[in-house]
Amino acid sequence: MKRCNNCHINFNTKYRLCPLCQNRLVGSEYDEVFPDNKRSKALVLVMKYILFCSIVVLILSSFIEIYFFGILKYTYLILGILLTNYIIVHFTLKNRKNILSLLGKYGLLLIVISLLWYYWIKSSIIIDYIIPGICICEL
């Protein structure tokens, strides 16, 4: 902003002279009134990184499943988990004021997804390791 040393007033203008006293204005022509929102840009970058990692995991899981089993059985479940994870992380970063209740709901959602996964594939690894791991992380 330009400043008049005689009137002690700041002006955001392209003129060289003060509109009040006609003295010379000192300073740069157009300073930004509002600062650059770097925090929002960082959050967008984090969301792009999470989306990229999710797509890589989905591609790798579908490739492994087709290569070893010949059909896509679990990739749809992984797609649902990754989509749910992306949506929850997005809302968690967007609503940072109430992050603890969002994380609690996120943990419950992960437990429900794990139980559905258990009923679908009947693997004891889910009951023995995954669900207790989620509960420990929630604590």
Side-chain angles (χ1 to χ4, degrees), residues 100 103-108 110-111 133-139:
L100 289 177
L103 288 176
K105 291 174 187 175
Y106 178 62
L108 288 175
L110 286 178
I111 290 172
I134 293 171
C135 292
I136 289 172
C137 289
E138 279 297 309
L139 289 175

Side-chain angles (χ1 to χ4, degrees), residues 87-98:
I87 290 170
I88 289 174
V89 169
H90 173 74
F91 284 116
T92 302
L93 291 176
K94 197 172 185 181
N95 303 321
R96 288 181 302 271
K97 295 177 186 171
N98 200 1

Side-chain angles (χ1 to χ4, degrees), residues 1 20 26 35 39 43 46 49-50 52-53 58 68-69 72 74 86 94-95 103 115 117 121 126:
M1 295 187 112
L20 301 174
V26 180
R39 186 176 198 149
L43 293 179
V46 166
Y49 178 73
I50 291 172
F52 174 75
C53 291
L58 187 64
F68 287 113
F69 303 113
L72 292 176
Y74 302 116
Y86 182 79
K94 197 172 185 181
N95 303 321
L103 288 176
L115 286 173
W117 190 17
I121 64 172
I126 297 168

Side-chain angles (χ1 to χ4, degrees), residues 8-85:
H8 303 290
I9 298 176
N10 294 329
F11 295 100
N12 192 9
T13 182
K14 62 182 178 181
Y15 301 119
R16 288 185 233 143
L17 300 176
C18 176
L20 301 174
C21 66
Q22 299 300 314
N23 281 338
R24 189 163 185 84
L25 295 175
V26 180
S28 63
E29 197 167 306
Y30 287 110
D31 286 341
E32 288 293 324
V33 178
F34 299 106
D36 192 23
N37 192 354
K38 295 177 184 176
R39 186 176 198 149
S40 177
K41 290 179 183 178
L43 293 179
V44 169
L45 186 64
V46 166
M47 291 308 297
K48 285 181 181 179
Y49 178 73
I50 291 172
L51 182 63
F52 174 75
C53 291
S54 298
I55 290 171
V56 167
V57 165
L58 187 64
I59 290 171
L60 286 175
S61 67
S62 61
F63 174 74
I64 290 169
E65 196 168 15
I66 287 175
Y67 185 75
F68 287 113
F69 303 113
I71 59 170
L72 292 176
K73 184 176 179 183
Y74 302 116
T75 303
Y76 299 118
L77 180 65
I78 293 171
L79 174 66
I81 291 169
L82 290 175
L83 185 64
T84 305
N85 189 38

